[in-house]
Amino acid sequence: MKAPLEVLNLYPPHEYTLGGVYASRRTACGTEPFLLFEGTSLSWDDFGVEVAKLAQAFHSRGVRKGDRVAIMARNHNGHVLTL
Protein backbone atom coordinates (compact mmCIF):
# COMPACT_ATOMS: atom_id res chain seq x y z
CA MET A 1 0.00 0.00 0.00
CA LYS A 2 1.28 3.44 -0.92
CA ALA A 3 1.61 6.29 1.56
CA PRO A 4 -0.67 9.32 0.92
CA LEU A 5 2.19 11.46 -0.41
CA GLU A 6 3.25 8.67 -2.77
CA VAL A 7 -0.26 8.65 -4.23
CA LEU A 8 -0.28 12.46 -4.55
CA ASN A 9 3.02 12.33 -6.41
CA LEU A 10 1.44 10.12 -9.08
CA TYR A 11 -0.50 13.15 -10.37
CA PRO A 12 0.46 16.64 -11.58
CA PRO A 13 1.44 19.07 -8.80
CA HIS A 14 -1.23 21.12 -7.06
CA GLU A 15 -1.58 23.53 -4.12
CA TYR A 16 -3.04 20.92 -1.71
CA THR A 17 -6.56 22.37 -1.68
CA LEU A 18 -9.69 20.40 -2.54
CA GLY A 19 -9.99 22.36 -5.80
CA GLY A 20 -6.31 21.89 -6.57
CA VAL A 21 -6.42 18.15 -6.00
CA TYR A 22 -9.52 17.88 -8.19
CA ALA A 23 -7.99 19.95 -11.02
CA SER A 24 -4.82 17.84 -10.90
CA ARG A 25 -6.76 14.57 -11.16
CA ARG A 26 -9.07 15.99 -13.83
CA THR A 27 -6.03 16.69 -16.00
CA ALA A 28 -4.94 13.07 -15.69
CA CYS A 29 -8.33 11.31 -15.62
CA GLY A 30 -10.76 13.59 -17.52
CA THR A 31 -13.03 11.01 -19.16
CA GLU A 32 -12.80 8.37 -16.46
CA PRO A 33 -15.67 7.97 -13.96
CA PHE A 34 -15.45 10.29 -10.96
CA LEU A 35 -18.83 10.08 -9.25
CA LEU A 36 -21.24 7.15 -9.32
CA PHE A 37 -24.56 7.68 -7.54
CA GLU A 38 -27.86 5.83 -7.94
CA GLY A 39 -27.17 4.76 -11.51
CA THR A 40 -25.75 8.12 -12.58
CA SER A 41 -22.10 8.40 -13.57
CA LEU A 42 -20.15 11.62 -13.99
CA SER A 43 -16.66 11.71 -15.47
CA TRP A 44 -14.05 14.04 -14.02
CA ASP A 45 -14.76 16.48 -16.88
CA ASP A 46 -18.57 16.23 -16.51
CA PHE A 47 -18.27 16.79 -12.78
CA GLY A 48 -16.28 19.98 -13.46
CA VAL A 49 -19.04 21.25 -15.76
CA GLU A 50 -21.70 20.56 -13.11
CA VAL A 51 -19.62 22.27 -10.41
CA ALA A 52 -19.28 25.35 -12.64
CA LYS A 53 -23.08 25.43 -13.11
CA LEU A 54 -23.63 25.18 -9.36
CA ALA A 55 -21.04 27.89 -8.69
CA GLN A 56 -22.86 30.16 -11.13
CA ALA A 57 -26.15 29.45 -9.37
CA PHE A 58 -24.61 30.39 -6.01
CA HIS A 59 -23.09 33.52 -7.54
CA SER A 60 -26.42 34.57 -9.03
CA ARG A 61 -27.89 34.33 -5.53
CA GLY A 62 -25.26 36.65 -4.07
CA VAL A 63 -22.72 34.14 -2.71
CA ARG A 64 -19.19 35.47 -3.21
CA LYS A 65 -15.65 34.22 -2.66
CA GLY A 66 -14.96 34.00 1.06
CA ASP A 67 -18.62 33.68 2.04
CA ARG A 68 -19.55 30.75 4.23
CA VAL A 69 -22.26 28.39 3.07
CA ALA A 70 -23.82 25.74 5.30
CA ILE A 71 -24.71 22.41 3.75
CA MET A 72 -27.59 20.40 5.12
CA ALA A 73 -28.01 17.39 2.87
CA ARG A 74 -28.85 13.74 2.68
CA ASN A 75 -26.71 11.24 0.84
CA HIS A 76 -26.88 12.78 -2.64
CA ASN A 77 -24.52 13.71 -5.45
CA GLY A 78 -25.49 17.38 -4.97
CA HIS A 79 -23.69 17.30 -1.63
CA VAL A 80 -20.44 16.30 -3.36
CA LEU A 81 -20.95 18.95 -6.06
CA THR A 82 -21.44 21.62 -3.40
CA LEU A 83 -18.23 20.70 -1.61
Side-chain angles (χ1 to χ4, degrees), residues 57-78:
F58 277 127
H59 189 267
S60 70
R61 287 167 176 78
V63 178
R64 300 294 182 259
K65 183 176 181 176
D67 288 352
R68 294 176 183 212
V69 176
I71 302 170
M72 195 166 133
R74 295 179 181 205
N75 188 17
H76 190 270
N77 61 351

Side-chain angles (χ1 to χ4, degrees), residues 8-40:
L8 289 174
N9 290 328
L10 295 173
Y11 296 93
H14 54 80
E15 72 278 2
Y16 296 96
T17 63
L18 190 56
V21 171
Y22 171 76
S24 171
R25 300 310 185 279
R26 184 179 182 185
T27 300
C29 308
T31 59
E32 295 176 21
F34 172 75
L35 179 66
L36 306 171
F37 181 75
E38 292 185 353
T40 301

